[in-house]
Amino acid sequence: MQIGILIKLSIPKSGLSQGLETFLTWSGVGLTGALVANFLDQQADLAYAAYYTNAVNDAVGYNFWILLAVIGLLLFSLSIPLLYFSPKAPRIQVIDRLLRRLSYTFFLVAFDEGSLMIGILLANLLHTSEKMTLLATKSFLFSNVGLFAILGLMFINAFLWLLGESIYNRDDQYCSGLVNLLLKVPLKYLAPLYLSFTGIGLYLLVYQ
């Protein structure tokens, strides 16, 4: 019962419907674009021609998605301490709001980019051709992309959306959901938890 309550409280104020709509829009664009590109390239006279499939792969990048997520996480890590102490120190509220807005922006752009990428991978899974498989392998840095890999990407991508919408709400410019839950944790527990996760995250980023 408590787990259900925590899950409900971790949902951002914007609600799940907005995130789902955005995901379906961008993944639909990626899926449709990849399938249409593959169909058009199959009509080419030259067997190795892959002009439109190349265009689809140029539109999205796995490394760029990671970069956006990393920047969002770094800004998120900087925002949490400021957000925690901002009620007691009004002078830092402006900086706190700016960092949270930037973190929100990078997370949501990463979510859009990730949704587009997932759509392309789904197209590759549903309608595999030699051209598309080769280019997808080159673009996404892994081959034989299966359903479980795509589901894993969907989970990570959804978590980025959750962090972004939780750290900043466009209506009241404050936090909600998961971040709101974190702020209610006593400082003696929150500080070690924050330092541990931030330290591990920085180590993984520097020594990737």
Side-chain angles (χ1 to χ4, degrees):
M1 183 66 179
Q2 291 183 349
I3 296 178
I5 295 175
L6 288 175
I7 293 175
K8 186 176 181 180
L9 291 175
S10 65
I11 297 175
K13 188 180 295 184
S14 59
L16 296 177
S17 59
Q18 180 183 354
L20 180 60
E21 181 182 355
T22 303
F23 171 76
L24 292 176
T25 299
W26 282 98
S27 61
V29 168
L31 176 65
T32 305
L35 292 176
V36 171
N38 182 60
F39 172 78
L40 292 175
D41 284 337
Q42 286 180 346
Q43 312 309 311
D45 295 332
L46 299 176
Y48 56 83
Y51 177 81
Y52 292 106
T53 306
N54 266 314
V56 170
N57 282 271
D58 288 341
V60 64
Y62 178 73
N63 289 334
F64 186 58
W65 175 68
I66 292 178
L67 175 63
L68 292 172
V70 166
I71 295 174
L73 287 171
L74 289 175
L75 292 170
F76 182 88
S77 298
L78 292 173
S79 301
I80 293 298
L82 295 178
L83 182 60
Y84 191 90
F85 292 107
S86 60
K88 302 176 183 178
R91 293 182 179 179
I92 66 175
Q93 289 181 0
V94 176
I95 301 175
D96 162 59
R97 191 179 299 113
L98 176 62
L99 287 176
R100 288 190 294 108
R101 177 63 186 267
L102 287 173
S103 178
Y104 163 85
T105 301
F106 276 96
F107 276 138
L108 262 66
V109 174
F111 176 70
D112 294 343
E113 186 84 4
S115 300
L116 185 67
M117 179 174 65
I118 290 168
I120 294 174
L121 290 175
L122 283 172
N124 187 46
L125 182 67
L126 296 174
H127 187 74
T128 303
S129 69
E130 185 177 350
K131 297 174 185 177
M132 187 177 287
T133 300
L134 179 62
L135 291 171
T137 301
K138 183 179 179 182
S139 295
F140 298 110
L141 304 182
F142 45 83
S143 58
N144 298 323
V145 178
L147 182 60
F148 288 108
I150 295 175
L151 289 176
L153 287 172
M154 290 175 65
F155 176 80
I156 297 173
N157 204 46
F159 187 66
L160 295 178
W161 174 86
L162 179 66
L163 291 178
E165 289 289 349
S166 295
I167 196 67
Y168 184 85
N169 181 271
R170 286 177 294 181
D171 295 330
D172 58 14
Q173 299 183 345
Y174 198 64
C175 64
S176 63
L178 183 62
V179 174
N180 216 12
L181 286 178
L182 285 176
L183 295 179
K184 294 179 180 179
V185 177
L187 185 60
K188 62 179 180 180
Y189 300 118
L190 180 61
L193 186 67
Y194 169 80
L195 292 174
S196 299
F197 277 98
T198 303
I200 293 172
L202 289 175
Y203 177 83
L204 293 175
L205 291 176
V206 173
Y207 297 99
Q208 55 179 325

